[in-house]
Amino acid sequence: EPEVTQTPSHQVTQMGQEVILRCVPISNHLYFYWYRQILGQKVEFLVSFYNNEISEKSEIFDDQFSVERPDGSNFTLKIRSTKLEDSAMYFCASSGFLGQGVNEKLFFGSGTQLSVL
Amino acid sequence: DAKTTQPPSMDCAEGRAANLPCNHSTISGNEYVYWYRQIHSQGPQYIIHGLKNNETNEMASLIITEDRKSSTLILPHATLRDTAVYYCIVRVSYTGTASKLTFGTGTRLQVTL
């Protein structure tokens, strides 16, 4: 079965540094998402992306966050100036083929564990 | 999206059926019931979804009550690999736009020998 690929699996950074988390969604999927999960807490929605623009974003997704689809295969999440509270597992997801009509089945990657020191 | 209520934890013996309940008494007519699971901090995994009819796939069965106010996910022969947190999510199925899933705390299913 096709899968969403995320790199790196672990990222350690100093507070205030910029990080870029990378994702390769499933080929030909149209909808892209970032979620995060702080240790022991719920999976939280960050942002959704379709047709080269943000569809929806949560309160967590403030000006320090940005997403980009720089080419036909990658989807990135950038945190401009990391804070201690950004430490979490970040999951990328994708869904929806052209003509499929609905996009309910999200495929998630295995995540990037971000540790901010 | 309608709110869901799930028991925080359940146990099931390996080889037996695991029946995971979900209450969604405020569900609207155009809202679907989705089930995902998360195995030990891996990314969530889609299991099944339905609107009002019972559904079955290679992973599980979904039984939705006639009034649609509750549902049950059935894993017919649970294995140790089914130990995970199971999330019941209710939302409208959108077309032509990316839309979020809202995860609750789910049910932690422990399958034992």
Side-chain angles (χ1 to χ4, degrees):
Chain A
E1 188 174 58
E3 58 182 29
V4 175
T5 305
Q6 290 188 243
T7 56
S9 57
H10 293 85
Q11 174 89 48
V12 181
T13 189
Q14 296 291 324
M15 189 169 55
Q17 294 296 304
E18 174 184 286
V19 294
I20 297 176
L21 309 183
R22 302 180 191 279
C23 170
V24 179
I26 291 172
S27 179
N28 296 324
H29 270 183
L30 301 174
Y31 309 96
F32 312 107
Y33 313 80
W34 283 100
Y35 287 77
R36 79 173 187 188
Q37 187 174 32
I38 295 170
L39 185 64
Q41 298 187 22
K42 298 179 189 178
V43 177
E44 299 176 291
F45 168 78
L46 292 178
V47 66
S48 58
F49 191 87
Y50 167 67
N51 202 25
N52 287 319
E53 61 183 22
I54 290 174
S55 298
E56 189 176 0
K57 59 184 180 180
S58 71
E59 292 179 354
I60 303 168
F61 194 89
D62 61 20
D63 292 345
Q64 293 301 309
F65 291 85
S66 62
V67 289
E68 193 175 40
R69 187 154 163 81
D71 52 42
S73 61
N74 292 287
F75 182 51
T76 61
L77 174 70
K78 182 193 291 186
I79 309 175
R80 255 178 280 281
S81 177
T82 50
K83 303 191 266 284
L84 296 176
E85 54 265 39
D86 293 328
S87 295
M89 180 74 88
Y90 287 80
F91 296 109
C92 173
S94 69
S95 69
F97 293 102
L98 184 66
Q100 186 178 26
V102 294
N103 60 351
E104 72 279 3
K105 185 175 178 179
L106 269 65
F107 291 81
F108 285 80
S110 54
T112 293
Q113 179 64 55
L114 177 65
S115 298
V116 182
L117 305 178
Chain B
D1 295 335
K3 182 179 168 154
T4 62
T5 304
Q6 299 178 252
S9 64
M10 293 182 65
D11 291 331
C12 178
E14 191 176 33
R16 305 296 292 270
N19 297 286
L20 292 95
C22 179
N23 185 292
H24 31 79
S25 57
T26 60
I27 192 169
S28 303
N30 62 347
E31 287 183 309
Y32 286 69
V33 180
Y34 298 84
W35 284 84
Y36 282 75
R37 72 180 182 183
Q38 187 177 25
I39 297 173
H40 189 55
S41 298
Q42 295 178 23
Q45 178 189 24
Y46 167 86
I47 302 173
I48 199 166
H49 77 283
L51 182 62
K52 54 185 176 182
N53 297 321
N54 298 337
E55 302 287 345
T56 296
N57 63 20
E58 66 280 2
M59 289 182 71
S61 294
L62 173 61
I63 309 297
I64 303 173
T65 57
E66 195 168 337
D67 63 8
R68 301 208 325 121
K69 294 186 176 182
S70 65
S71 61
T72 301
L73 178 74
I74 301 172
L75 308 178
H77 305 288
T79 71
L80 296 177
R81 286 176 293 184
D82 292 321
T83 293
V85 179
Y86 287 78
Y87 301 101
C88 170
I89 301 168
V90 171
R91 72 166 177 87
V92 176
S93 185
Y94 293 96
T95 302
T97 182
S99 60
K100 67 183 182 185
L101 291 172
T102 301
F103 289 86
T105 53
T107 296
R108 183 171 298 278
L109 176 68
Q110 180 69 52
V111 180
T112 56
L113 289 171

